[in-house]
Amino acid sequence: MEYREPVLRVIFYRSESGAEPVREWLKELQREDRKTIGEDIKTAQFGWPLGMPLIRKMEKGIWEVRSNIRDGIARTFFTVEKDTMVLLHGFVKKSQETPLNELQTARRRLRNIIGG
């Protein structure tokens, strides 16, 4: 089997206090759901750039990984800085529309990274 290098390296967003909210969110999920989300992130990591149905651009600098899990649809917002995928925010979507507060959380964390 041929070994391929990932296109992107993946890191968790880390707050000034050292918290990693996406890692904490993942820990709260069922093991099977964590595995699904992890595989989807890995697909993005090795296949970047990708589009629908797995990846959707939300706005400038923010994309989402769309994972089908047992409780519905998990969304993991991320940004790409050079060769690094930074996982900004994760949540389980309950409605058709992406809740504005979830997107605002990702925007705020992105601003913290880029110093804006």
Side-chain angles (χ1 to χ4, degrees):
M1 189 169 110
E2 174 189 338
Y3 175 76
R4 288 188 0 211
E5 288 287 321
V7 177
L8 300 173
R9 115 191 141 92
V10 177
I11 62 170
F12 290 96
Y13 165 82
R14 180 175 287 170
S15 70
E16 287 181 22
S17 66
E20 293 178 324
V22 177
R23 188 187 302 267
E24 296 305 315
W25 168 69
L26 287 169
K27 285 180 181 174
E28 295 170 6
L29 299 175
Q30 300 287 328
R31 185 170 184 266
E32 184 181 313
D33 294 341
R34 282 197 308 268
K35 187 172 188 270
T36 299
I37 294 166
E39 286 172 0
D40 289 344
I41 290 169
K42 187 175 177 182
T43 298
Q45 178 186 15
F46 278 82
W48 185 256
L50 293 171
M52 293 288 277
L54 183 64
I55 304 293
R56 183 171 82 154
K57 185 167 187 170
M58 300 303 291
E59 59 188 49
K60 185 180 188 306
I62 299 177
W63 290 264
E64 67 175 2
V65 178
R66 306 155 60 94
S67 303
N68 292 312
I69 62 171
R70 213 173 347 175
D71 290 340
I73 302 165
R75 296 288 189 251
T76 309
F77 289 135
F78 68 95
T79 193
V80 175
E81 284 282 313
K82 298 185 179 110
D83 65 345
T84 303
M85 176 183 197
V86 183
L87 306 180
L88 297 170
H89 181 54
F91 66 101
V92 177
K93 203 166 138 173
K94 304 284 189 213
S95 62
Q96 199 62 26
E97 284 289 306
T98 298
L100 184 59
N101 65 319
E102 304 289 4
L103 190 54
Q104 286 171 332
T105 297
R107 287 177 183 151
R108 191 173 57 251
R109 292 175 182 165
L110 176 60
R111 280 196 306 273
N112 289 346
I113 291 171
I114 59 178

